Amino acid sequence: MSQIKPTSTNFSNKTALSDECPEAYASSIIGGQWTLVICSWLLSGKLRFGELKKRLPNITERMLTLQLRKLEQNKIVSRVVYAEVPPRVEYELTSIGYALQPVIKELEKWGESHKQLTNE
Amino acid sequence: MSQIKPTSTNFSNKTALSDECPEAYASSIIGGQWTLVICSWLLSGKLRFGELKKRLPNITERMLTLQLRKLEQNKIVSRVVYAEVPPRVEYELTSIGYALQPVIKELEKWGESHKQLTNE
DNA sequence: CTCATTACTTACATTTTTGATAGTACCTAA
DNA sequence: TTAGGTACTATCAAAAATGTAAGTAATGAG
């Protein structure tokens, strides 16, 4: 599922940074292009795959799946499959997932003020 | 200097996300592999190019230059060149750069607790 | 039997980011 | 005149992330 090479310089650099530097570690986990937006939506409650897709109009199903899988691996979201047809799958933040709230709030605040600054 | 294609889907997705979503915007600015570590070091005061390099043992000069240029473009660091030989160049956070402190603090906190959780 | 619905998967292509390596310019001191 | 220190730049290559397009499985409704 993952196509990363454990022998690459890139990989060992990331690993070393993550080891020494918790903010780099955090960024490597939530730094994907769609990750924060997904988590933002999930902060207001669990959502089905299709509901997430609707809220992220430009994401492909492939990317949504990949991001959700990564979030699941990192224990940030939980995935519940109902034995129905057509299938129903619900995604919900775990407690460490909900703990992202203050991080996201600070990022938002900073983002807003940076945007304002550079629009002058 | 930048090799991004303004016609790509990727580019327009990033743009749209950054427009609607300040946390995605922030992440696109400080989400580079070395960005947060560089800012972390600069939080404790200005540093010369070579000093930064020493503190980031595995970074190449090229990457350090690229990251610093991007930070400069985004008004997060200022660059002061002294007319000396050999050259001396100092990098320092701007005020919006120093404003990253709470963001970094939250990221650190979250990173630590996530690390702890996944080590059990 | 056929179709519709939902949540995927697979194979491939493109774009973006990162790394390796070898330069360059400048002046000063020896 | 030559070497040395500093902060780069230029080219090329590799790796990683993202996008495109076309499937698949399951089953209940008609």
Side-chain angles (χ1 to χ4, degrees):
Chain A
M1 179 181 133
S2 79
Q3 59 278 38
I4 73 148
K5 297 210 176 171
T7 56
S8 71
T9 305
N10 196 306
F11 177 80
S12 60
N13 279 348
K14 268 182 191 150
T15 307
L17 274 178
S18 289
D19 279 357
E20 314 168 349
C21 195
E23 62 267 34
Y25 170 80
S27 165
S28 78
I29 291 183
I30 60 169
Q33 180 163 214
W34 304 94
T35 314
L36 282 173
V37 198
I38 293 174
C39 292
S40 269
W41 279 111
L42 290 179
L43 274 177
S44 36
K46 65 173 114 171
L47 289 172
R48 296 179 58 176
F49 185 87
E51 292 171 324
L52 272 169
K53 206 178 110 184
K54 234 173 268 164
R55 282 161 177 77
L56 275 32
N58 296 311
I59 201 170
T60 61
E61 300 195 339
R62 177 179 134 76
M63 280 315 291
L64 183 51
T65 304
L66 281 180
Q67 300 284 321
L68 287 170
R69 289 286 180 282
K70 192 183 164 198
L71 285 170
E72 200 192 349
Q73 280 184 356
N74 288 322
K75 319 250 181 193
I76 291 168
V77 307
S78 66
R79 177 171 178 267
V80 178
V81 184
Y82 294 87
E84 302 173 1
V85 168
R88 178 160 62 105
V89 181
E90 284 181 349
Y91 292 93
E92 187 175 16
L93 291 177
T94 62
S95 67
I96 193 76
Y98 277 110
L100 278 172
Q101 187 143 33
V103 178
I104 292 178
K105 218 177 72 190
E106 289 297 335
L107 278 168
E108 274 176 0
K109 268 170 38 184
W110 185 86
E112 299 277 20
S113 55
H114 185 276
K115 216 180 255 189
Q116 202 180 335
L117 183 79
T118 51
N119 278 349
E120 279 163 12
Chain B
M1 180 180 134
S2 78
Q3 60 278 39
I4 72 149
K5 297 209 177 172
T7 57
S8 71
T9 305
N10 197 308
F11 177 79
S12 61
N13 279 347
K14 267 182 191 150
T15 307
L17 274 178
S18 288
D19 278 358
E20 313 168 351
C21 196
E23 63 267 33
Y25 171 79
S27 164
S28 79
I29 291 183
I30 60 169
Q33 181 164 214
W34 303 94
T35 313
L36 282 174
V37 198
I38 292 174
C39 292
S40 268
W41 279 113
L42 290 179
L43 275 177
S44 35
K46 65 173 113 171
L47 288 172
R48 297 179 57 173
F49 185 87
E51 293 171 324
L52 272 170
K53 207 177 107 185
K54 233 174 269 165
R55 280 160 177 78
L56 274 34
N58 296 312
I59 203 173
T60 61
E61 299 195 339
R62 176 178 135 76
M63 281 314 292
L64 184 51
T65 304
L66 281 180
Q67 299 284 322
L68 287 170
R69 289 288 180 282
K70 193 182 164 200
L71 286 169
E72 199 192 350
Q73 278 183 356
N74 288 322
K75 319 246 180 198
I76 292 168
V77 306
S78 66
R79 176 169 178 268
V80 178
V81 184
Y82 294 88
E84 303 173 359
V85 167
R88 178 160 63 106
V89 180
E90 284 182 347
Y91 293 94
E92 187 175 17
L93 290 177
T94 62
S95 68
I96 192 74
Y98 276 111
L100 279 172
Q101 187 144 34
V103 177
I104 291 178
K105 217 177 75 189
E106 288 298 334
L107 278 168
E108 274 175 1
K109 267 169 42 183
W110 186 85
E112 298 277 19
S113 55
H114 185 275
K115 216 180 255 190
Q116 202 180 336
L117 183 79
T118 52
N119 280 347
E120 279 164 10

